[in-house]
């Protein structure tokens, strides 16, 4: 299982936005050093918290600061952009990163973004599929002439072909509705299950994956579970008490943002601590590395194998405690699901289960050597 993050990001309104963006870049640098494999960067245009408007710009900067970590758009909201412009930006990034970019797509999540652009939310999912079909043709080097009610292309072509052939790895955002699963199945793309640990998203995991598999099967293809990525919030510390104390720094601002953004979203039961509620429902891990391991096992029991777990970046804790949480994951959680210590454990178990026999033989060998030396010395003394 690969490890990564999904960086919307979420920055409270009392933080300096310039510093927040630079801390996001610093975070990606830390993750690269810690061995994380992926980081997905969001696109949003309203509501003040999720302040990265261009994931492509952020990825270009992050790529210059890192060496190994792969960087994905999480996601480009296709109905907001002319397909030719989107294709050209991703192809340029593919060359600039020498193949480290991944292309995540979606219809657009925040209704307020669509409202500012005069886009009817009822049209967004259909427009995503329209734009996606054109982008794939452009990736293949086709010359496209096509007009719809929201874009017009005349003899359009990209002047570069992708660095990665036939194109960068692609993934579709999936939450509760079946649109993500339908698109993933149609084209064989990966899925970014952005609400995998929330109640509705968790319930929809198997359904949406099954939809993708059925549609892929109709086209004679099989979905690859390595392209399935589950997203959920995590904050871990050496003790549960420390983790709970750490998230008091910013969790309430995050909760207020979502409560006001979606007044219809479920509320914490009256009189219940929000942290207790999030832990009890499995919405979040706020605890120790062992609690994080238990969450992954829970998701595997629901979904089966999946290729990557992406921690939802949230700024519940101070930056120092946040970095420590990611480091604890890399040190104690990631090795469990990479089976990094399987051979070491087998060697340890074999050695310890045979320790009495092996030590006995070693002691006999040492005793024999002592006796041999004594015999040699005695023989020399007798000869003299």
């Amino acid at each position: 299982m690969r490890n990564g993050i999904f960086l919307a990001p979420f920055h409270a309104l009392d933080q300096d936005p310039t510093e927040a963006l630079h801390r996001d870049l610093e975070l990606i640098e830390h993750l690269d050093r810690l061995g994380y494999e992926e980081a997905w960067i969001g696109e949003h245009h309203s509501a003040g918290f999720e302040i990265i408007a261009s994931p492509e710009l952020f990825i270009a900067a992050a790529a210059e600061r890192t060496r190994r970590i792969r960087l994905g758009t999480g996601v480009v909201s296709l109905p907001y952009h002319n397909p030719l412009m989107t294709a050209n930006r991703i192809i340029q990034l593919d060359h600039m990163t020498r193949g480290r970019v991944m292309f995540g797509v979606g219809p657009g999540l925040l209704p307020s973004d669509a409202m500012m652009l005069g886009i009817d939310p009822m049209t967004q999912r259909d427009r995503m599929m329209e734009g996606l079909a054109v982008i794939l043709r452009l990736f293949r080097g086709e010359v496209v002439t096509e007009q719809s009610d929201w874009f017009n292309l005349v003899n359009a072509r990209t002047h570069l072909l992708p660095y990665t052939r036939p194109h960068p790895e692609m993934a579709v955002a999936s939450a509760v509705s079946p649109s993500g699963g339908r698109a993933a199945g149609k084209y064989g793309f990966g899925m970014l299950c952005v609400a995998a640990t929330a109640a509705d998203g968790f319930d929809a995991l198997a359904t949406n994956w099954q939809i993708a598999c059925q549609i892929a099967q109709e086209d004679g293809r099989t979905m690859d579970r390595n392209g399935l990525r589950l997203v959920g919030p995590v904050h871990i510390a050496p003790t549960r008490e420390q983790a709970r104390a750490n998230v008091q720094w910013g969790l309430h601002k995050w909760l207020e943002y979502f409560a006001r953004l979606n007044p219809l979203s479920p509320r914490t039961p009256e009189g219940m601590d929000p942290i207790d509620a999030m832990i009890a429902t499995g919405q979040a891990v706020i605890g120790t590395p062992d609690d994080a391991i238990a969450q992954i096992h829970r998701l595997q029991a629901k979904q089966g194998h999946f290729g990557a777990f992406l921690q939802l970046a949230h700024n519940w804790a101070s930056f120092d405690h946040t970095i420590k949480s990611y480091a604890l994951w890399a040190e104690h959680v990631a090795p469990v699901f990479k089976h990094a210590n399987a051979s070491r454990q087998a060697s340890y178990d074999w050695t310890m289960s045979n320790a009495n026999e092996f030590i006995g033989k070693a002691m006999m060998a040492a005793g024999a050597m002592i006796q041999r030396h004594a015999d040699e010395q005695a023989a020399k003394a007798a000869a003299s």
Side-chain angles (χ1 to χ4, degrees):
M1 188 188 77
R2 302 181 307 282
N3 300 276
I5 68 162
F6 193 93
L7 182 72
F10 299 107
H11 294 302
L13 300 181
D14 59 357
Q15 297 177 13
D16 181 273
T18 305
E19 293 304 313
L21 287 169
H22 282 275
R23 281 198 304 275
D24 289 336
L25 287 168
E26 187 179 345
L27 173 60
I28 302 300
E29 290 183 80
H30 277 289
L31 297 178
D32 186 48
R33 286 193 291 270
L34 289 169
Y36 282 74
E37 289 97 341
E38 301 182 0
W40 296 79
I41 317 302
E43 174 193 350
H44 303 90
H45 303 280
S46 59
F49 260 57
E50 303 171 69
I51 57 174
I52 293 177
S54 170
E56 299 96 331
L57 277 175
F58 186 94
I59 287 170
E64 291 299 302
R65 297 166 178 241
T66 56
R67 294 191 300 162
R68 297 179 300 274
I69 194 168
R70 300 182 69 210
L71 303 163
T73 59
V75 295
V76 173
S77 301
L78 294 186
Y80 304 166
H81 308 278
N82 183 288
L84 177 62
M85 300 295 101
T86 301
N88 274 328
R89 291 198 303 271
I90 296 301
I91 289 173
Q92 180 178 332
L93 267 183
D94 193 28
H95 284 269
M96 289 173 64
T97 63
R98 295 187 186 274
R100 276 200 286 152
V101 72
M102 301 172 290
F103 185 25
V105 301
L109 180 62
L110 293 181
S112 46
D113 287 356
M115 293 297 101
M116 290 197 303
L117 293 167
I119 297 173
D120 182 353
M122 291 293 292
T123 68
Q124 286 178 253
R125 288 167 176 80
D126 289 339
R127 288 186 176 187
M128 179 192 80
M129 296 301 287
E130 283 184 305
L132 188 55
V134 170
I135 289 168
L136 289 172
R137 293 175 63 191
L138 292 167
F139 281 167
R140 292 193 294 265
E142 295 184 24
V143 178
V144 178
T145 296
E146 186 165 327
Q147 184 171 3
S148 75
D149 58 353
W150 63 284
F151 68 82
N152 184 30
L153 296 178
V154 181
N155 294 324
R157 74 172 78 204
T158 63
H159 48 198
L160 297 176
L161 291 176
Y163 177 88
T164 304
R165 299 301 177 91
H167 53 69
E169 181 181 357
M170 296 184 66
V172 184
S174 175
V176 178
S177 81
S179 61
R182 289 167 59 90
K186 179 177 176 64
Y187 293 108
F189 297 158
M191 289 174 63
L192 290 164
C193 299
V194 296
T197 61
D200 290 345
F202 182 79
D203 290 341
L205 279 177
T207 300
N208 287 341
W209 177 250
Q210 188 60 37
I211 288 170
C213 290
Q214 288 173 350
I215 291 177
Q217 187 176 30
E218 291 169 4
D219 291 338
R221 286 181 287 98
T222 300
M223 291 293 292
D224 182 1
R225 283 184 172 271
N226 287 320
L228 181 60
R229 296 167 170 91
L230 307 190
V231 181
V234 173
H235 181 81
I236 54 178
T239 67
R240 290 177 175 176
E241 292 75 19
Q242 184 63 55
R244 293 176 72 99
N246 290 350
V247 302
Q248 298 291 348
W249 186 85
L251 175 61
H252 65 285
K253 300 171 188 176
W254 187 87
L255 290 171
E256 181 185 7
Y257 169 68
F258 277 101
R260 300 189 68 180
L261 187 69
N262 180 9
L264 301 178
S265 62
R267 295 293 187 269
T268 301
E270 188 70 29
M272 189 174 188
D273 186 306
I275 295 176
D276 290 336
M278 297 174 79
I279 294 172
T281 59
Q283 179 183 350
V285 174
I286 301 172
T288 66
D290 285 342
D291 295 319
I293 291 168
Q295 176 77 307
I296 300 300
H297 284 311
R298 171 177 172 262
L299 292 168
Q300 289 175 332
K302 174 71 174 181
Q303 183 63 51
H305 170 72
F306 53 91
F309 182 78
L310 309 177
Q311 297 181 56
L312 181 67
H314 43 58
N315 293 306
W316 293 349
S318 67
F319 191 65
D320 288 346
H321 285 141
T322 297
I323 291 297
K324 179 62 175 176
S325 176
Y326 286 119
L328 285 170
W329 180 286
E331 185 175 358
H332 298 294
V333 181
V336 174
F337 299 100
K338 292 180 180 299
H339 307 292
N341 290 319
S343 185
R344 292 175 65 199
Q345 186 68 55
S347 179
Y348 179 91
D349 292 343
W350 175 77
T351 301
M352 298 310 169
S353 64
N354 293 283
N356 288 337
E357 177 188 351
F358 295 165
I359 290 297
K361 290 182 176 180
M363 291 179 66
M364 288 177 62
M369 187 66 239
I370 292 170
Q371 185 60 51
R372 189 169 109 188
H373 178 72
D375 291 345
E376 289 176 354
Q377 293 301 109
K380 289 179 182 178
S384 63

